[in-house]
Amino acid sequence: MSDGTATTTTDLDVRLEKHRVELTGYCYRMLGSSFEAEDAVQDTMVRAWRSYDKFEGRSSLRSWLYRIATNVCLDMLTAGNKRARPMDLTESTPLAQAALSPRPDHTWLEPVPDSRVLPTTDDPAEAAVAKESVRLAFMAALQQLPPKQRAVLILREVLAWRASEVAELLGTSVASVNSALQRARATLAEQQQPGAEAAVADPLDDEQQKLLDRYVAAFEGYDMTALTALLHEDAIMTMPPFDLWLTGAGDITGFMTTLGAPCAGSRLLPVQVNGLPGFAQYKPDPEAGGFTPWAVQVLEISGGRITGFHCFLDTKRWFPLFGLPLHLQAEADEVEKGV
């Protein structure tokens, strides 16, 4: 009897785990936080495991898990907090007035590794929609929607659920779902989200890869002339947890050579983040030698230029999430780069 129970328990664990990545992606879109999303999915799994004997199979296991996850997220969102980017909260600051004023962690829209939220799929169109729906601009737009409208939009537009399936999940009518979807679409259409025009091929096309290669060379060489040539004239730079954000190549490179000067000599390692190209930035560590974590960079590209340059600085949280080391040895780094 105990062997059978153990086998059943193991089988259920395996079946639940198959849905972890897509559920994490759903909860991330709902909550705007990679850590809260993982907490929500863990709560979902525990609730499902405890109440599985009450699951009567009237819907698929996947639908049932989404119902639980939706309720968990809606409960977490009752406080009404909306995660944001710096440009959602303040006006752009001229370089001459730049000051680094941090805000609490719960203020900010958080980055997430693609591997945590994007399930593998053989359908290129499905993969493209999934990537676009975790990009920072779309995530920021989602945060402007009331929680139930957010759920409806994600389920209908991103996950391609039928209106009847969403109505059943939310315990409401098809007419109510369609109405919520219309209102959500109207809200998104009214917003001009910086970064929404980012057009990144999957995989990167040759021109985009060359642009990134030139960016790495310019940043690691701290060559502001070369970097200026890569930035759109209206490029935006953000640095959560600081609410400062800068517009234009002049102010961005000016910041990098003044307040940001300690980043000279940094090393960049590529990461896949929010459906966009990104880099883990390590800056020189004058005390321990080698390089110490400084930021997860997320780049937005459009028209052959970098339009968004977003640096998430809470490295003690982000680097472990991305599976990145908390120190780079100088020798190992140079060998890896073929120097």
Side-chain angles (χ1 to χ4, degrees):
M1 182 68 177
S2 59
D3 289 345
T5 302
T7 301
T8 301
T9 300
T10 301
D11 289 347
L12 178 57
D13 287 342
V14 170
R15 292 175 66 199
L16 294 177
E17 282 299 317
K18 287 180 180 178
H19 299 282
R20 182 176 290 275
V21 173
E22 65 170 309
L23 286 172
T24 304
Y26 175 61
C27 293
Y28 174 68
R29 295 178 185 98
M30 285 290 291
L31 301 170
S33 163
S34 41
F35 293 105
E36 286 185 0
E38 296 206 342
D39 288 346
V41 172
Q42 193 57 34
D43 191 0
T44 297
M45 295 298 190
V46 170
R47 292 189 192 190
W49 200 90
R50 287 176 176 170
S51 59
Y52 185 71
D53 59 338
K54 299 175 184 175
F55 173 54
E56 299 174 354
R58 288 178 294 184
S59 63
S60 68
L61 178 63
R62 180 172 181 257
S63 297
W64 184 58
L65 288 171
Y66 269 93
R67 182 180 297 114
I68 298 171
T70 300
N71 289 332
V72 170
C73 289
L74 293 177
D75 287 345
M76 293 174 72
L77 289 167
T78 52
N81 59 310
K82 296 179 180 178
R83 289 183 175 265
R85 301 173 299 170
M87 53 276 211
D88 301 323
L89 302 177
T90 64
E91 294 297 320
S92 178
T93 305
L95 177 60
Q97 300 171 19
L100 299 178
S101 304
R103 297 201 188 190
D105 291 339
H106 62 74
T107 306
W108 303 116
L109 182 64
E110 296 179 349
V112 72
D114 286 1
S115 60
R116 298 271 184 145
V117 295
L118 298 178
T120 54
T121 175
D122 295 327
D123 184 339
E126 184 179 318
V129 169
K131 279 199 168 188
E132 289 169 8
S133 69
V134 294
R135 290 181 182 169
L136 295 175
F138 185 75
M139 288 293 302
L142 283 177
Q143 296 294 300
Q144 303 305 312
L145 299 176
K148 285 196 175 180
Q149 284 187 29
R150 202 180 304 177
V152 168
L153 184 86
I154 296 166
L155 291 165
R156 293 281 285 119
E157 302 273 283
V158 178
L159 301 176
W161 285 39
R162 294 190 297 270
S164 58
E165 293 173 322
V166 178
E168 182 179 353
L169 182 147
L170 294 175
T172 187
S173 67
V174 169
S176 177
V177 166
N178 289 336
S179 176
L181 181 59
Q182 285 184 335
R183 293 196 301 275
R185 285 172 172 167
T187 299
L188 296 191
E190 290 170 1
Q191 297 181 36
Q192 293 294 324
Q193 287 289 341
E197 75 287 349
V200 182
D202 182 26
L204 296 174
D205 62 35
D206 288 343
E207 290 304 312
Q208 290 170 345
Q209 188 57 60
K210 288 177 183 176
L211 175 64
L212 292 181
D213 292 343
R214 291 169 63 199
Y215 168 77
V216 171
F219 194 96
E220 292 190 340
Y222 233 57
D223 183 338
M224 294 302 119
T225 300
L227 189 59
T228 297
L230 305 179
L231 294 172
H232 189 277
E233 60 182 11
D234 296 322
I236 288 172
M237 179 181 183
T238 68
M239 292 161 284
F242 302 115
D243 57 14
L244 170 75
W245 62 285
L246 301 166
T247 305
D251 276 5
I252 291 173
T253 56
F255 177 89
M256 292 175 65
T257 53
T258 53
L259 290 176
C263 289
S266 289
R267 293 291 178 263
L268 300 181
L269 299 182
V271 294
Q272 298 299 314
V273 51
N274 285 84
L276 292 163
F279 296 93
Q281 178 194 344
Y282 292 81
K283 71 175 185 176
D285 187 338
E287 295 181 3
F291 301 87
T292 190
W294 184 245
V296 170
Q297 302 180 357
V298 185
L299 301 187
E300 292 167 333
I301 299 171
S302 181
R305 292 288 183 271
I306 295 169
T307 57
F309 173 46
H310 307 290
C311 303
F312 294 88
L313 304 182
D314 192 352
T315 53
K316 289 183 180 178
R317 301 174 77 214
W318 303 132
F319 276 52
L321 183 71
F322 281 79
L324 294 163
L326 291 177
H327 187 79
L328 283 185
Q329 296 295 335
E331 297 79 9
D333 187 61
E334 298 302 329
V335 169
E336 180 181 330
K337 289 179 170 289
V339 175

